[in-house]
Amino acid sequence: MRKKMTKKLLAALLTASVSIGLLAGCGGTTTTTTTDTGEASSSEAAATASDDAAGETSTSGTDKTTISIYRCTYNLATPDTAQVQKVQDAINEYIADKINVEIKITDLASGEYGDKANLALANNEINLLWTASWWATIGTDDLYRQNAVYDITDLLPGTTLYESMSEGIWEASRYDGRDYFIPVYKEAYEGYDLKTRQALVDEFGWDLSTVETLADIEPFLEDCKNAGLKYPYVTGKTAMFYRFYLDYFDFFSGYSFLGVDRETNEVVNPVQSDEYLEFCTLMCDWAEKGYISEDDVTKVTADTVCQTQDWGFNWWTCVPGDEANSEGRDLQDEVIIEGITDKYAHSTTTLGSCYAITANSTEEQAKACIDFLGLLFTDTTVADLFTYGIEGEDYTLNEDGRVVQNSESYSHSAWESTSVVPLTLMEGEAEDKVQEYIDKNNEAETSCAAGFRFDKSNVEAQWTACVNVFDQYGFVLENGGYASADVPSIIGQFQAALDEAGYQDILTEAQTQYEAWKAGE
């Protein structure tokens, strides 16, 4: 294994208003606590923030600036517009004496969000839009290229919103050094682990402490196969090279065929690396041995397979609190094997969930959006309402003051709603959840390419063609779809097809842009 780059911590990830270890116990109440550093807790900061935020909009008197918010609903198949209206009204009532802002919420089901939000955007019907770096049609790159987002660089300093996160978070979220997006504060890094079932660990007496690399689980996969499990290792229809090999490459493009070599700090073609040959050979070997089902190659594996008893190991995204919160996830006891990769802060890791103020907004509306987000990211009542809904209707509090979501009318998750800091803890979440996020974020290694954003506009056609080639060859290779002995020749065919699709143009363009970025041009 190559020597890794010297670790650089993600500097000062949280400011005083965020560096806290406890959340307020229940929605609508605040308590003043201090950490062992003597800094004020989030609830104290939220109370101060609410007072300070009142003067941040340009409205005056009793006039309110109305902002239209579009967000995606993942927890429900179809949002209940009547309940969304009730939540909207409750938020407006609460914030009425804090900021001169009224909100109008439009919740859209995830399956229709891209199309409907894009149409509303084109019709100038949105002021504040939820988005993410990974969205294909309304993602951060799309919005930036279309000049659809408001440049809030000069509006942010000194606001409650800006002070709710550290400069390091904002810096990693910028495009060309300017602020266009507001990251939802959660894990600010990327890293990958493995998970298995506690029942299997107990049955076979596995010593998981021996697992340091992906290949180390092979003896356990043999046990799973012999026990009759259909999916000893389930990929979930996912190509995993660009995830499991983060220690070697920064895959800034999101595909296995382009990345920055962490050792040389240069843009390279990972498909031609020893690591790619190693990974694809291992996957194909495992498939031959019956450890990987052909369902993953043919993309018919059910998304709910990990809610059954028919799997052994699966990949897992490293998130804070895995060990404390693994019990009950996916409806059964699970064990997380941490550290298959290190954790890295990349150009997109802070924008895995974020908000954008639309370019069609007036300055007054932009300031109103910033005011509202300032409360959303620091005030427990606003955060709970926006995420969980109305207490007694959309959720209840158990005897420990923890949220139990039980609504079929309104339900969101923290990751796509607000900062983890002010939210009331959910049932089963660790008491030190917020501190865990802070600690894990500070442990992350800043990637060599953090801040670099590849502009594909000059090679758009070639890029699309190469993505299609990847689906034909790369996806199959990375899911064990060929004979292991044939992997070297198939990689050769893969590369030839990439080159025919214009890959060398992409590589040259990325190398040119990256060198210019390093030089500060």
Side-chain angles (χ1 to χ4, degrees):
M1 182 176 287
R2 289 191 254 177
K3 182 178 179 181
K4 298 175 186 174
M5 294 180 67
T6 303
K7 180 168 288 190
K8 298 181 290 181
L9 294 181
L10 191 61
L13 269 176
L14 287 244
T15 59
S17 64
V18 179
S19 57
I20 55 89
L22 299 174
L23 293 176
C26 12
T29 63
T30 58
T31 56
T32 302
T33 57
T34 56
T35 65
D36 55 9
T37 63
E39 294 175 323
S41 72
S42 63
S43 38
E44 181 181 353
T48 303
S50 299
D51 294 334
D52 293 344
E56 288 175 13
T57 62
S58 58
T59 58
S60 60
T62 59
D63 294 334
K64 300 287 186 180
T65 300
T66 300
I67 57 172
S68 171
I69 304 172
Y70 272 60
R71 61 188 309 214
C72 186
T73 301
Y74 287 93
N75 294 352
L76 301 174
T78 304
D80 185 322
T81 55
Q83 192 64 15
V84 172
Q85 177 74 45
K86 290 180 70 173
V87 172
Q88 171 187 301
D89 292 345
I91 292 174
N92 281 331
E93 181 180 0
Y94 177 78
I95 68 175
D97 61 351
K98 295 175 173 59
I99 54 177
N100 286 334
V101 179
E102 286 186 347
I103 65 170
K104 182 179 182 298
I105 302 174
T106 300
D107 264 9
L108 296 173
S110 59
E112 61 184 12
Y113 184 71
D115 290 340
K116 288 192 173 181
N118 262 318
L119 180 60
L121 187 66
N123 291 333
N124 295 334
E125 297 171 357
I126 306 175
N127 301 115
L128 188 60
L129 173 75
W130 178 85
T131 182
S133 59
W134 44 267
W135 258 93
T137 59
I138 199 167
T140 53
D141 285 351
D142 303 296
L143 295 168
Y144 177 71
R145 285 198 301 266
Q146 296 163 11
N147 295 316
V149 282
Y150 200 106
D151 184 345
I152 56 176
T153 309
D154 298 330
L155 303 182
L156 279 173
T159 64
T160 299
L161 174 62
Y162 193 74
E163 293 172 358
S164 72
M165 291 176 284
S166 75
E167 176 63 23
I169 296 290
W170 290 108
E171 183 177 356
S173 305
R174 288 175 181 141
Y175 277 69
D176 293 334
R178 305 291 291 180
D179 292 298
Y180 293 93
F181 300 98
I182 301 98
V184 171
Y185 182 74
K186 54 187 187 66
E187 69 275 10
Y189 58 83
E190 183 179 14
Y192 294 93
D193 302 327
L194 290 168
K195 66 176 179 177
T196 187
R197 292 189 285 130
Q198 183 65 53
L200 297 176
V201 177
D202 296 339
E203 179 180 354
F204 297 112
W206 293 336
D207 179 6
L208 299 182
S209 67
T210 63
V211 179
E212 295 183 357
T213 68
L214 183 63
D216 292 337
I217 66 172
E218 182 160 336
F220 308 148
L221 299 181
E222 180 68 15
D223 289 338
C224 294
K225 175 190 174 185
N226 292 338
L229 272 64
K230 182 177 181 180
Y231 303 101
Y233 172 71
V234 58
T235 73
K237 303 169 292 187
T238 305
M240 287 300 297
F241 177 72
Y242 86 89
R243 292 175 170 88
F244 277 142
Y245 280 73
L246 282 180
D247 291 341
Y248 299 92
F249 305 99
D250 180 322
F251 296 97
F252 57 83
S253 70
Y255 281 92
S256 299
F257 54 73
L258 196 64
V260 173
D261 186 310
R262 296 193 187 279
E263 191 172 81
T264 64
N265 197 21
E266 296 177 344
V267 174
V268 298
N269 175 10
V271 169
Q272 293 300 302
S273 68
D274 293 340
E275 290 80 14
Y276 196 70
L277 175 62
E278 172 189 76
F279 178 74
C280 294
T281 301
L282 179 65
M283 294 298 99
C284 292
D285 181 57
W286 279 3
E288 287 176 329
K289 292 175 179 177
Y291 304 155
I292 300 177
S293 171
E294 65 178 12
D295 288 358
D296 278 323
V297 180
T298 56
K299 301 184 180 181
V300 298
T301 306
D303 292 337
T304 56
V305 68
C306 286
Q307 296 176 12
T308 72
Q309 305 291 318
D310 208 16
W311 65 282
F313 285 81
N314 185 210
W315 63 274
W316 189 250
T317 302
C318 177
V319 294
D322 266 337
E323 292 181 343
N325 298 323
S326 61
E327 186 172 339
R329 185 187 289 114
D330 290 339
L331 308 184
Q332 57 192 315
D333 293 347
E334 294 178 5
V335 178
I336 305 298
I337 306 170
E338 294 190 335
I340 299 303
T341 73
D342 283 348
K343 298 182 287 292
Y344 297 91
H346 288 152
S347 297
T348 57
T349 52
T350 60
L351 296 179
S353 175
C354 59
Y355 292 98
I357 299 171
T358 58
N360 62 271
S361 300
T362 65
E363 181 176 335
E364 181 180 63
Q365 290 169 328
K367 289 179 177 179
C369 290
I370 291 171
D371 285 353
F372 174 71
L373 289 175
L375 282 182
L376 179 62
F377 282 22
T378 60
D379 187 292
T380 295
T381 299
V382 179
D384 283 357
L385 280 167
F386 198 69
T387 307
Y388 304 136
I390 297 174
E391 183 183 351
E393 297 183 24
D394 302 310
Y395 73 95
T396 57
L397 295 175
N398 66 15
E399 59 185 12
D400 297 320
R402 301 297 185 85
V403 169
V404 180
Q405 288 180 295
N406 49 20
S407 175
E408 296 181 0
S409 299
Y410 189 94
S411 177
H412 283 277
S413 298
W415 71 269
E416 41 86 5
S417 298
T418 183
S419 165
V420 299
V421 174
L423 268 180
T424 297
L425 291 172
M426 292 183 63
E427 185 177 46
E429 290 184 323
E431 187 69 35
D432 63 347
K433 173 185 173 179
V434 175
Q435 192 61 51
E436 181 82 2
Y437 271 78
I438 294 170
D439 292 343
K440 287 290 182 71
N441 280 337
N442 278 289
E443 290 171 6
E445 180 174 329
T446 304
S447 177
C448 53
F452 173 67
R453 302 185 188 280
F454 180 38
D455 180 1
K456 307 181 186 71
S457 56
N458 291 336
V459 288
E460 197 70 53
Q462 297 95 316
W463 179 264
T464 300
C466 285
V467 168
N468 291 334
V469 170
F470 174 81
D471 289 340
Q472 180 183 355
Y473 288 100
F475 178 87
V476 180
L477 277 165
E478 295 178 35
N479 280 273
Y482 296 100
S484 59
D486 294 338
V487 169
S489 63
I490 298 298
I491 290 177
Q493 295 176 36
F494 179 21
Q495 185 62 57
L498 284 172
D499 288 341
E500 185 176 352
Y503 176 76
Q504 295 305 321
D505 293 339
I506 296 173
L507 182 61
T508 299
E509 180 71 19
Q511 289 171 334
T512 300
Q513 289 185 26
Y514 190 66
E515 291 306 312
W517 175 79
K518 286 194 297 184
E521 298 176 5

